[in-house]
Amino acid sequence: MAFDALRRRLGAYRSLTGSAARGGLAAGLVCAAVLVAAPVSSAATGEEPEGIHKIQHVIVITQENRSFDTYFGTYPGANGIPAGVCVPRLAGECVKPYFNPEDTNYGGPHGTEASANDINGGMMNGFVRSAEEGFGCNETGGCESKCSVTQCGVDTMGYHDARDIPNYWKYAEEFVLQDSLFESVSSWSLPQHLWLVSGWSAKCALKNANPLQCAGTLSPERPAKGWSAPIETSPRKANYAWTDITYLLHKAGVSWGYFIHSGTEPDCQLNEAVSCRTKLLNVRTPGIWNPLPDFLDVKEDGQLKNIQPLKNFYADAKSATCALPNVSWIVPSQEVSEHPPGSIAKGQAYVTTLINAIGRSPCWGSTAIFLNWDDWGGFYDHVTPPVLDEYGLGMRVPGLVISPFAKKGFIDHQLLSQDNYLKFIEDVFLNGQRLNPATDGRPDARNVVREENPQLGSLVEDFNFSQSPRPPLFLSPRPAPGPASTPPG
């Protein structure tokens, strides 16, 4: 949507010019907007919470780079790998889905171009060729990269099951597995992580912190430390001036935390890269998995302190009275992320430890955990992503819902995207307030409000708020292998 057209649509904000725009948002602009209604706690009214409001802690655990089929493609009852699949290689033959017992995988390119190549007009057969080209392989079978010819490209067709991810399969068995959850954008980690906290990905004017001068894109500015896009000669600071969900949470008095497993993260110069150097990841380093430090509203609201090391999450969970924020995001370091070539076993152990800690916490009885993987990582999936708008949806990824109110052994076939997490947070804590520039009190130039898209289902369907709260499930971080699954078809 053009900037002038957006101004006309917003009406009340036509006068936003000059110094008021350059200053971010003037006080008068906020007063002109619809106010966010703060939630009324059941404790204050003396009433027991009902329905969705039995949830007072939403925890979004995001892992990295796995498609649904590579983790749950042979899970009983799920929309898994169909019979007869064989995806072509550059050399002419094709590769069938196969059980891959390797703890370390390679995957393939997973940027916007790779997404289009893998989907290949809806045939969903470009994965192997895309990965082979990414690793420098050719039609004669040679590869320039460090991985062998049998691994480059081919392991995009490998799948895992309870033999090597028994805890993930056990969570699906005991709680909710979503087999139609798609990443919000048809691209890679940076726009996806921006979307997870803000429902948009954009580029903004670097010298003018004006939310109305941002343009939606799948190629946003990269964080400054250690980054430089191909056309740049030196790193520069990203400016995420549009509105993210923390703005609404802060205004409504809803606590939040963004918890980081310190270590390293990939530092790809190109979003189509299959391998990358690494850079430092902690609360002080903006990055593809830690974008909130570069959001203007986080700084203006004095909320940078809410970006915390993961040890604080464990301490909050362990406290005698529930001290966890109402909303938590947890992001991994490379070591425990499952991002190729990261260890699957280490990632599963890390996630299991998180969920065990929540289960032991007094917070468990009012918690909803949404475990997801940010993008497909180049791995095969057979379901063509639906097109909702110019940004996506992206590839199908695994999604699990773990809660004392989650249905038992339920497979959710609704069309969902990671936008549903924002909608759920808004419905629980903000009385349905949306990241909508016409009503949220801080207008920006976004041309989509994905939470309001009628094609998306509702996460409420994954819960039974009438059931007695279920006890937590404690699993070993080092589990024994589970049984083999039935091969595809």
Side-chain angles (χ1 to χ4, degrees):
M1 181 182 300
F3 180 68
D4 288 340
L6 180 63
R7 279 194 168 180
R8 287 193 298 271
R9 183 167 70 87
L10 294 176
Y13 309 115
R14 291 176 187 171
S15 62
L16 180 63
T17 56
S19 60
R22 287 191 294 273
L25 287 175
L29 178 62
V30 175
C31 292
V34 175
L35 296 177
V36 178
V40 178
S41 68
S42 56
T45 62
E47 300 176 356
E48 286 295 321
E50 296 183 355
I52 195 174
H53 297 293
K54 290 183 177 181
I55 301 299
Q56 286 300 301
H57 300 91
V58 173
I59 302 171
V60 180
I61 302 173
T62 300
Q63 293 293 95
E64 296 291 323
N65 291 48
R66 299 288 163 171
S67 70
F68 183 88
D69 275 344
T70 200
Y71 269 10
F72 292 99
T74 56
Y75 188 84
N79 181 7
I81 304 168
V85 170
C86 198
V87 173
R89 300 188 64 180
L90 289 172
E93 68 269 26
C94 62
V95 183
K96 296 180 179 180
Y98 67 97
F99 172 68
N100 184 358
E102 298 296 328
D103 185 52
T104 297
N105 305 150
Y106 290 90
H110 45 281
T112 306
E113 181 181 343
S115 179
N117 290 340
D118 289 355
I119 294 170
N120 196 17
M123 292 189 288
M124 306 302 289
N125 66 356
F127 298 86
V128 177
R129 287 177 173 173
S130 181
E132 286 181 319
E133 289 173 350
F135 281 110
C137 301
N138 55 50
E139 294 181 1
T140 63
C143 270
E144 299 173 0
S145 68
K146 295 179 181 179
C147 62
S148 69
V149 175
T150 56
Q151 293 171 323
C152 283
V154 172
D155 85 346
T156 58
M157 299 303 297
Y159 66 83
H160 302 275
D161 61 16
R163 284 170 280 186
D164 41 16
I165 49 171
N167 286 5
Y168 290 154
W169 276 48
K170 187 65 175 176
Y171 291 136
E173 180 182 329
E174 292 295 325
F175 297 101
V176 176
L177 173 67
Q178 298 161 329
D179 72 354
S180 192
L181 174 71
F182 294 83
E183 57 172 316
S184 297
V185 298
S186 54
S187 194
W188 70 304
S189 286
L190 178 55
Q192 182 59 37
H193 280 262
L194 291 170
W195 210 283
L196 278 167
V197 294
S198 73
W200 203 37
S201 168
K203 277 186 179 178
C204 306
L206 289 175
K207 295 183 179 180
N208 186 353
N210 182 350
L212 288 172
Q213 292 182 337
C214 300
T217 181
L218 295 180
S219 300
E221 292 290 340
R222 300 165 185 243
K225 276 199 170 183
W227 290 84
S228 58
I231 61 171
E232 294 172 342
T233 58
S234 63
R236 57 184 181 181
K237 191 171 185 178
N239 171 31
Y240 304 145
W242 68 95
T243 306
D244 70 84
I245 190 66
T246 70
Y247 174 80
L248 296 181
L249 296 176
H250 175 65
K251 293 301 179 185
V254 178
S255 59
W256 65 270
Y258 195 89
F259 297 94
I260 296 172
H261 185 286
S262 298
T264 62
E265 68 175 359
D267 184 22
C268 298
Q269 294 297 306
L270 296 171
N271 61 13
E272 301 292 341
V274 291
S275 60
C276 318
R277 70 186 186 209
T278 58
K279 63 167 280 189
L280 189 65
L281 173 67
N282 60 42
V283 296
R284 296 176 179 170
T285 55
I288 58 174
W289 300 346
N290 180 27
L292 279 176
D294 283 330
F295 270 91
L296 180 63
D297 57 7
V298 176
K299 300 172 188 175
E300 290 178 336
D301 289 340
Q303 297 286 285
L304 286 172
K305 64 183 181 299
N306 290 15
I307 304 166
Q308 306 173 55
L310 186 59
K311 65 179 182 180
N312 291 12
F313 179 86
Y314 285 116
D316 289 348
K318 193 176 181 180
S319 63
T321 57
C322 180
L324 285 175
N326 297 121
V327 180
S328 300
W329 293 270
I330 304 178
V331 295
S333 68
Q334 170 72 47
E335 182 183 12
V336 297
S337 67
E338 300 161 58
H339 185 294
S343 162
I344 295 172
K346 286 184 179 179
Q348 181 181 243
Y350 154 77
V351 170
T352 302
T353 303
L354 284 172
I355 294 173
N356 285 350
I358 298 164
R360 294 188 182 99
S361 169
C363 306
W364 166 257
S366 59
T367 292
I369 303 169
F370 298 109
L371 172 59
N372 72 112
W373 283 255
D374 76 329
D375 66 53
W376 84 111
F379 292 102
Y380 173 75
D381 195 82
H382 77 280
V383 177
T384 304
V387 178
L388 298 189
D389 48 55
E390 64 193 275
Y391 308 103
L393 298 176
M395 292 286 191
R396 193 173 62 141
V397 293
L400 292 161
V401 180
I402 300 166
S403 171
F405 299 103
K407 295 177 180 177
K408 179 179 172 61
F410 179 62
I411 300 177
D412 186 350
H413 303 299
Q414 295 179 97
L415 174 61
L416 300 168
S417 81
Q418 288 148 328
D419 303 280
N420 284 90
Y421 302 150
L422 290 175
K423 183 178 181 180
F424 190 85
I425 291 167
E426 292 160 355
D427 288 346
V428 170
F429 301 111
L430 301 171
N431 297 326
Q433 175 73 51
R434 304 294 182 220
L435 280 167
N436 186 328
T439 61
D440 63 18
R442 191 179 185 275
D444 55 35
R446 72 183 64 213
N447 55 347
V448 293
V449 181
R450 193 74 73 67
E451 303 101 291
E452 295 180 349
N453 192 299
Q455 298 180 62
L456 295 176
S458 171
L459 291 177
V460 175
E461 297 300 317
D462 294 340
F463 298 86
N464 178 3
F465 292 112
S466 297
Q467 71 186 17
S468 297
R470 297 173 55 200
L473 174 67
F474 297 112
L475 300 177
S476 170
R478 296 178 178 84
S485 61
T486 302

